[in-house]
Amino acid sequence: ALVSMRQLLDHAAEHGYGLPAFNVNNLEQMRAIMEAADQVNAPVIVQASAGARKYAGAPFLRHLILAAVEEFPHIPVVMHQDHGASPDVCQRSIQLGFSSVMMDGSLQEDGKTPSSYEYNAEVTRRVVQFSHACGVSVEGEIGVLGNLETGEAGEEDGVGAEGKLSHDQMLTSVADAVRFVRDTNVDALAIAVGTSHGAYKFTRPPTGEVLRIDRIKEIHAALPNTHIVMHGSSSVPQEWLKIINEFGGDIGETYGVPVEEIVEGIKHGVRKVNIDTDLRLASTGAIRRFMAQHPSEFDPRKYLSKTVEAMKQICLARYQAFGCEGMA
Ligand code: G3H
Ligand code: 13P
Ligand code: NA
Ligand code: ZN
C-alpha cells in the first residue's frame, strides 16, 4: 500500500532502524528495489527527482511506483519527491499523488545558490502547511551538502550548490537544526555532515574529520523526536568501480560513505538514507561487463536483467545493514 513517510519513519524510530530511500528513474531500478524488499520483507521509500521526471515523464514515473504497489501489496511504499526546488514543485507532486515531498530550501529556486535561513524556513513552513493539510509528509534540509575539506558540492547535475562553500555552510549547527524544526514543523530533517551527491565524495576513505557522524549525535540529542535524513549516502562500492574500470570504464579513485558509519548514524536518529549513485554504479558495471563478455548479444532484456540483479544485491545489503528486515 502507498503510505506517508511519517508513518514509516515513526515506525523506524520506534524500532530503531533506518530506511534506505532509493532514487528511481526506470523499470529496472523499481524492480530491483521491490524484489529486494519483498525478499526480506522491508518497507520501501522510492524517491523521484526533477531529473527523473524529465527522463521518464511524470505519468510514467507515477505509474511505475503505483505498479510496484499493485504487484507487492503487502509492502508499504512511500512515493517521495526528492529535492523539490520550490513550493510550486511540491504542490504539483502532491497533485500527482506523491505521499511525501522534500522542500529543499537550503538552495534558492535555481538549485545552485545557497539561500538565507529566513528564505529556507519560510518556503519550508509554507510547504508543511499545505502538505499536512492533505496528509502528505515533508522533508526539509538545513545546511548545504559539500566536502568539508575541499568545499566542493558534488558532481550531480541539477542538484547541488555551485562554487566553493564555507565550512559553516556545509556543517549543520545544532542551533540551526533546533531553530529550523521549531520554525517549520517538518516531519524529517536533512542535515549536512560532510557528505555530497554523486560518486566523488571523498578522495580517501573518510575519517571523522570529513564525515561528522558526531554532529548527527549532537543534533539527535537536542532533537530526540526529529527524524534525521542523510543525503549523499552512497557507499561507492570499490568492487563495482573495479568492474567498471576493468571493462572499459574510466572512474578515478574515489570513496563514499561507509555502511558502518551510516549504521552508527541510525543508532542516533537517522531514519532515512538517500542512495542513488550506488545503483547507478552497479547498473553501469553490470552492463559493461555483460557487453564485453557477450559482444554478439543485442536483446536489451539480456543486459538490463543483469542491472536488476546487480542493483538488487545493493538494495538487499542496505535493507539488511539498516535493520529493515521483517519490518514491512
Ligand atoms: O539528489 C540527487 C539525486 O541523486 C538525483 O539525481 O537529479 O540526477 O536525478 P538526478
Ligand atoms: P548519492 O549520490 O550518494 O547516492 O545520494 C543520493 C541523494 O542524496 C539523493 O537525494
Ligand atoms: Na529527499
Ligand atoms: Zn540528495
Side-chain angles (χ1 to χ4, degrees), residues 251-311:
I251 297 186
E253 186 177 3
T254 179
Y255 299 89
V257 184
V259 170
E260 56 271 23
E261 297 299 329
I262 298 171
V263 169
E264 185 65 13
I266 290 171
K267 289 181 190 150
H268 299 275
V270 171
R271 301 293 163 229
K272 175 173 181 275
V273 181
N274 284 14
I275 298 171
D276 185 354
T277 298
D278 281 352
L279 300 192
R280 295 180 180 195
L281 290 170
S283 142
T284 296
I287 289 185
R288 283 196 174 280
R289 182 167 59 188
F290 183 88
M291 294 288 197
Q293 292 175 343
H294 306 272
S296 63
E297 286 289 356
F298 58 88
D299 179 348
R301 290 172 298 188
K302 294 268 171 57
Y303 51 86
L304 292 177
S305 60
K306 297 296 176 193
T307 72
V308 175
E309 191 43 44
M311 292 189 285

Side-chain angles (χ1 to χ4, degrees), residues 124-296:
T124 306
R125 195 185 53 73
R126 247 163 57 207
V127 171
V128 167
Q129 230 162 35
F130 64 66
S131 302
H132 282 182
C134 41
V136 168
S137 318
V138 179
E139 173 182 340
E141 176 163 323
I142 182 80
V144 183
L145 296 193
N147 180 300
L148 289 166
E149 223 164 23
T150 63
E152 302 284 351
E155 300 266 320
E156 213 89 35
D157 43 42
V159 184
E162 216 166 57
K164 293 270 177 191
L165 296 163
S166 77
H167 196 271
D168 278 359
Q169 284 175 310
M170 294 181 300
L171 183 62
T172 303
S173 72
V174 177
D176 275 354
V178 168
R179 184 177 167 210
F180 189 73
V181 168
R182 189 195 59 212
D183 289 349
T184 62
N185 192 28
V186 285
D187 299 287
L189 180 71
I191 57 176
V193 291
T195 71
S196 52
H197 291 126
Y200 300 95
K201 301 181 195 304
F202 305 110
T203 53
R204 8 174 225 285
T207 60
E209 266 100 79
V210 293
L211 178 58
R212 298 288 303 270
I213 304 295
D214 60 319
R215 182 53 56 88
I216 292 176
K217 297 179 183 177
E218 292 167 355
I219 290 174
H220 180 56
L223 291 166
N225 299 317
T226 295
H227 303 310
I228 297 175
V229 182
M230 282 177 77
H231 280 250
S233 293
S234 275
S235 302
V236 188
Q238 295 299 308
E239 60 271 28
W240 280 115
L241 293 182
K242 203 164 154 253
I243 290 166
I244 290 171
N245 289 336
E246 197 178 315
F247 294 103
D250 183 13
I251 297 186
E253 186 177 3
T254 179
Y255 299 89
V257 184
V259 170
E260 56 271 23
E261 297 299 329
I262 298 171
V263 169
E264 185 65 13
I266 290 171
K267 289 181 190 150
H268 299 275
V270 171
R271 301 293 163 229
K272 175 173 181 275
V273 181
N274 284 14
I275 298 171
D276 185 354
T277 298
D278 281 352
L279 300 192
R280 295 180 180 195
L281 290 170
S283 142
T284 296
I287 289 185
R288 283 196 174 280
R289 182 167 59 188
F290 183 88
M291 294 288 197
Q293 292 175 343
H294 306 272
S296 63

